[in-house]
Amino acid sequence: MVLLLFLWPAGFAKEPKQPSSGQATIRVQSSLVLVDVISRDTKTGLPVRDFKKEDFRLFDNRQEVRIVRFDAGAQYDTRPITVWLVVICNEGGIVGASAEFMGKESLFRPALEHLQSRDTVGVAHWCDNGETRLDLLPTADRDSPIRVLAETLRPVTFKGGTDATDEVGEETFRKMIRLIIGDAYRRNPKPLPVIVFLHGDHTGQPRRELDNLVDDFLESSGTVFGIRDYQSAVLRFLIGEQAKILHYMAKHTGGQYFSASPSGYADALEAILRQLHFRYELGFVPAAIDGKRHELTVELTKEAHKRHNGARLRFRPEYIAVSEPPDWAR
């Protein structure tokens, strides 16, 4: 199960729920860190839907912090999500990239029926020739993403595979990620952006640049998931680079990577949406807005463990507290 995190600066934070008469008003003068937690009952494989605020303990750098906000997906309290279907351009059917999905885009369509009414879908791509674009801005329509995805996966004449084109492609990939994050920053209310790569992860990035991208997620919002065709080639190790970068990003942002046959494409995407829809959002005020990585831990209380023996939580191990979006995201 997956934990997703979003840091909401004071000017961007969702307003706290109004307390009932007689309760003290909580006034948050600094940023809130929102931690999205998804649970799993190991006996049934299903999310646990009846956790309460008092069932969780939250730790920042191993120091327990007070949970000042709590929302539950089962009660439709959590933020809407924006699902980005992302591919690399089809450079003549390169094995291990996104070409395996060409002509099979409609197989993902049934999963989109499981989106909630406030959720949106966008499409984006990058290419080794330096081209990147948000092909479809987030929309509530469920058919246009499939149509645009099919157009995006049409073969192009560009031929890559050289050191020079690889470097251009790596830079373009980073630009695309920041376009997606920037789109979320500019929306009100702020959605939770979820990048779903349709890609065999036959790619790489310089380790320093990759960690900088992870920092961008930790400072802002979003998580990475992926679906690879089960016949995609396995990427060989690239000297000086972090291989399987999409798996790496998924791990460090609280996501998950799936391998599926065409008959299982919709099931894989539906599994991602199910994890997100039944999540819990825990909010806390960080002790310092220092721009540094902080260790993050979420636990169930002993009482909650007794009631739900076998329940498991998965969460990202870090967050970064910042007071405002970076210049490139404005």
Side-chain angles (χ1 to χ4, degrees), residues 12-118:
F12 296 85
K14 176 180 174 182
E15 290 295 328
K17 294 180 180 179
Q18 293 298 319
S20 60
S21 177
Q23 291 180 323
T25 301
I26 297 174
R27 299 186 182 276
V28 178
Q29 301 298 330
S30 59
S31 299
L32 280 178
V33 174
L34 296 187
V35 183
D36 294 343
V37 183
I38 297 178
S39 63
R40 179 175 180 267
D41 187 320
T42 56
K43 298 177 181 178
T44 65
L46 299 175
V48 179
R49 304 187 186 186
D50 62 348
F51 280 137
K52 307 299 182 184
K53 174 182 174 182
E54 56 269 21
D55 292 325
F56 293 97
R57 300 181 68 194
L58 189 55
F59 298 83
D60 179 356
N61 278 346
R62 304 185 182 182
Q63 298 295 316
E64 187 165 7
V65 294
R66 187 166 68 95
I67 299 171
V68 300
R69 175 172 159 182
F70 177 83
D71 294 303
Q75 299 175 11
Y76 303 99
D77 287 338
T78 52
R79 292 164 289 155
I81 61 174
T82 294
V83 177
W84 287 92
L85 302 177
V86 176
V87 297
I88 189 171
C89 63
N90 184 356
E91 300 171 3
I94 296 178
V95 177
S98 299
E100 286 88 348
F101 296 99
M102 185 181 67
K104 306 171 188 174
E105 300 86 1
S106 63
L107 297 177
F108 291 101
R109 178 61 179 83
L112 299 185
E113 293 297 329
H114 296 275
L115 288 165
Q116 297 176 358
S117 60
R118 299 182 303 154

Side-chain angles (χ1 to χ4, degrees), residues 186-258:
R186 291 184 288 271
R187 293 186 180 272
N188 189 20
K190 301 297 180 291
L192 177 67
V194 179
I195 298 177
V196 179
F197 286 105
L198 306 180
H199 196 286
D201 207 359
H202 195 275
T203 186
Q205 278 280 326
R207 182 60 179 269
R208 175 179 293 182
E209 296 290 354
L210 182 57
D211 284 336
N212 287 339
L213 275 184
V214 171
D215 281 352
D216 291 338
F217 277 105
L218 296 179
E219 289 177 355
S220 56
S221 172
T223 190
V224 171
F225 288 84
I227 301 173
R228 66 183 296 275
D229 186 88
Y230 76 117
Q231 292 184 326
S232 293
V234 177
L235 176 66
R236 67 183 185 277
F237 178 73
L238 302 177
I239 298 176
E241 296 194 343
Q242 171 68 46
K244 298 181 75 66
I245 66 166
L246 307 183
H247 283 75
Y248 182 89
M249 293 177 70
K251 175 182 177 181
H252 287 272
T253 62
Q256 187 176 3
Y257 227 90
F258 292 81

